[in-house]
Amino acid sequence: MVLMGSRCLSAFCQRVSKMYQASLVLPEGSKVADIKCKSHRLMLDAGLIRQASPGTFHLLPLTLRALEKLIKVIDTEMRKVGGQKIAMPGMTPSSLWKTSGRYSEYGPELLTLRDRHDVEYCLGPTHEEAVTDIIAGEKMLSHRQLPIKLYQITNKFRDEMRPRYGLLRGREFLMKDLYTFDCSMEKAEETYRSVCEAYKEIFSILNLPIVQAVGATGAIGGSSSHEFHLLSDIGEDQVYHCSRCGYAVNQETVEGVPSCPDHLSQPECPMGLRQGIEVGHAFLLGTKYSKTFKADFFDEECKSRLAEMGCYGLGVTRILAAAIEVLSSDKEIRWPRLLAPYQVCIISPKEGGKESSAIHLAEWLYQDVCLHAPHLASDMLLDDRGHMTIGRRVKDASQIGYPLIVVVGKRALEADPKFEVINTATGSTEYLSKVELLQQMESIAVL
Ligand SMILES: [Zn+2]
């Protein structure tokens, strides 16, 4: 038994042999080849998700780890813009949706249910009504208490006619929605700019090439909006995008090909029509909802005024799937590095093989990394499925996309032991001594 301090290594070592991954189970009558969407196919194939019903999915352990990391990034950036996290019920009384007029606007996409008292509820796709109702309940709200910025990361519902593309267009999905209440339009615009910057920061941390496009206001309503897209052929939005200055606009909002605002300084701005996956949006709502629900406050002169609102969404599960969509090859998943479910996967030798006497070395290496790079302790996996060949397990690890794969093979038994280190992001392989390997481990950043 290998001991680390007083703790038994096996007690905290994360082992692939103990990890639950669903075997590929497709709905009856469908084949992997039928799945056109890469992220959907790869996630099913690697056992990361399992379909529960059309458009709803079980998120399995590896996916949830990646999702929790993404939530960490989002929480940090929301806090920086003054966001306070709350959780509103998934059930919103339909009466609130009828008051705002969105009950009929949404139509059959709105999932509803009735309780035993025959009261109808909507399973909210967004929560403008619910959150405005909270603030409207504050009868003595002062301008000194504003701005109020409330956000949540909860499951949302949309009864899609044709749910498709896995986590990209489901009927139940995880969304971050922020609602802001400011005392003037000027302040609301300031908030709007700061949240758009926060969104850009989130995608920059994830190293994802985000495109911020002038958007349509659509069913949410309001005066101005931006959409955040990851460009991909599977995307369902058409976006004019300038590859030189980055200016972008949703096709729905313009007639003909638009030109960039700095078109005069760069006369040859190449504006191309691309498909985008919308992963975020920002709306300046003005008083559309605060007027309906009487969400007001007292200004400096003790006069009642309506709050100026904004709402800001991020499709959390959709970001994860869209990132896989744009970063992966046809066969292997690649994550934004910080979101990979585990940063390192150590592969032990095959049992009964020539190098089976090196099996203990894999456990020792795991322990050494925990001591020298303790920040990696919970981000490291040991593929101890010794009944499988090393090659098969390297293939698995590469398919799931752990950024670093460390193979403890026969060269680990040499007088000058070396470990095979595969960097899945660059595709490079090198042989490192334990000292060199531990140095590299120390430099790996984790969330
Ligand atoms: Zn341009």
Side-chain angles (χ1 to χ4, degrees):
M1 189 152 293
V2 182
L3 296 172
M4 178 185 155
S6 59
R7 290 165 70 188
C8 172
L9 176 66
S10 61
F12 71 92
C13 174
Q14 289 127 172
R15 294 166 188 277
V16 175
S17 62
K18 302 286 176 223
M19 189 172 72
Y20 175 65
Q21 271 172 284
S23 50
L24 177 63
V25 184
L26 287 175
E28 213 171 311
S30 52
K31 296 184 220 117
V32 180
D34 294 340
I35 301 174
K36 295 279 179 286
C37 172
K38 184 168 66 183
S39 56
H40 186 192
R41 191 181 65 238
L42 286 170
M43 292 184 88
L44 278 175
D45 211 10
L48 299 183
I49 56 171
R50 187 171 164 178
Q51 181 168 318
S53 71
T56 70
F57 292 88
H58 300 292
L59 307 180
L60 298 177
L62 291 173
T63 308
L64 206 63
R65 281 185 65 93
L67 202 61
E68 281 167 356
K69 292 177 180 190
L70 175 56
I71 290 170
K72 237 186 223 182
V73 175
I74 295 172
D75 278 338
T76 304
E77 296 309 312
M78 286 302 101
R79 269 198 299 274
K80 284 188 196 165
V81 295
Q84 300 179 68
K85 199 171 188 178
I86 60 167
M88 289 181 270
M91 288 164 51
T92 308
S94 291
S95 55
L96 284 179
W97 280 72
K98 286 176 178 159
T99 304
S100 72
R102 287 210 300 169
Y103 186 86
S104 52
E105 260 174 63
Y106 253 80
E109 286 202 347
L110 198 59
L111 264 170
T112 57
L113 58 88
R114 281 181 185 279
D115 71 7
R116 64 175 73 200
H117 307 294
D118 207 29
V119 176
E120 195 193 57
Y121 291 85
C122 301
L123 291 176
T126 64
H127 282 71
E128 283 78 2
E129 289 82 356
V131 76
T132 313
D133 189 52
I134 296 177
I135 300 302
E138 299 294 334
K139 294 299 171 211
M140 296 302 288
L141 196 64
S142 150
H143 65 95
R144 286 183 206 92
Q145 292 164 273
L146 299 181
I148 294 173
K149 303 173 185 179
L150 303 175
Y151 81 98
Q152 59 175 355
I153 298 180
T154 54
N155 277 11
K156 308 293 190 294
F157 302 84
R158 187 172 295 144
D159 199 356
E160 296 278 353
M161 175 73 97
R162 287 191 303 140
R164 57 196 178 282
Y165 304 155
L167 299 187
L168 286 180
R169 188 171 279 280
R171 295 196 299 163
E172 180 172 353
F173 46 92
L174 191 63
M175 194 169 118
K176 186 285 302 174
D177 42 335
L178 163 72
Y179 305 93
T180 61
F181 299 83
D182 273 287
C183 60
S184 69
M185 197 38 149
E186 201 182 10
K187 294 279 184 201
E189 280 168 358
E190 236 171 71
T191 297
Y192 186 89
R193 282 191 292 274
S194 73
V195 178
C196 286
E197 284 308 309
Y199 277 15
K200 282 193 263 184
E201 180 61 18
I202 289 167
F203 291 103
S204 150
I205 289 168
L206 302 178
N207 219 353
L208 286 169
I210 198 71
V211 168
Q212 182 181 354
V214 177
T217 46
I220 298 219
S223 50
S224 82
S225 84
H226 280 92
E227 298 168 353
F228 293 79
H229 290 273
L230 288 172
L231 300 181
S232 159
D233 290 342
I234 206 89
E236 298 184 287
D237 284 274
Q238 303 284 327
V239 180
Y240 281 109
H241 176 241
C242 170
S243 55
R244 182 169 297 152
C245 72
Y247 179 75
V249 53
N250 191 310
Q251 190 196 25
E252 285 173 24
T253 67
V254 288
E255 279 180 43
V257 182
S259 46
C260 304
D262 61 350
H263 188 74
L264 290 177
S265 55
Q266 295 187 36
E268 289 155 47
C269 254
M271 189 63 93
L273 193 58
R274 299 285 307 272
Q275 276 155 284
I277 304 170
E278 188 189 351
V279 288
H281 68 232
F283 290 101
L284 202 53
L285 292 168
T287 57
K288 178 181 156 87
Y289 293 91
S290 49
K291 192 173 177 183
T292 305
F293 292 97
K294 300 194 173 47
D296 55 1
F297 65 95
F298 292 102
D299 67 8
E300 287 94 333
E301 285 139 28
C302 279
K303 273 199 244 155
S304 155
R305 290 175 57 179
L306 293 173
E308 297 285 345
M309 289 177 60
C311 72
Y312 307 87
L314 280 178
V316 183
T317 31
R318 188 183 275 188
I319 290 174
L320 208 60
I324 289 174
E325 190 68 40
V326 301
L327 299 177
S328 304
S329 72
D330 278 337
K331 298 251 187 300
E332 297 183 335
I333 295 174
R334 292 296 175 266
W335 310 81
R337 202 194 56 76
L338 285 171
L339 299 189
Y342 290 92
Q343 292 299 324
V344 180
C345 179
I346 297 175
I347 295 179
S348 68
K350 183 170 175 359
E351 285 157 12
K354 284 195 290 290
E355 56 273 13
S356 63
S357 53
I359 285 177
H360 66 283
L361 291 179
E363 305 247 348
W364 286 359
L365 179 64
Y366 191 104
Q367 185 182 6
D368 276 347
V369 177
C370 289
L371 287 170
H372 287 84
H375 70 292
L376 276 182
S378 60
D379 242 305
M380 191 166 44
L381 202 54
L382 178 65
D383 193 342
D384 58 340
R385 296 173 298 172
H387 61 285
M388 291 165 66
T389 64
I390 287 180
R392 175 65 215 277
R393 284 178 284 158
V394 167
K395 194 168 170 250
D396 267 9
S398 192
Q399 185 194 0
I400 291 171
Y402 303 116
L404 218 58
I405 302 170
V406 179
V407 180
V408 182
K410 55 178 183 295
R411 287 190 64 180
L413 284 170
E414 290 172 1
D416 177 20
K418 293 279 194 254
F419 299 94
E420 183 183 354
V421 180
I422 303 163
N423 181 326
T424 57
T426 61
S428 69
T429 299
E430 53 185 346
Y431 287 87
L432 300 180
S433 69
K434 189 182 263 190
V435 172
E436 291 166 327
L437 178 59
L438 292 177
Q439 270 173 0
Q440 194 178 121
M441 298 286 200
E442 278 169 24
S443 68
I444 295 175
V446 297
L447 283 169

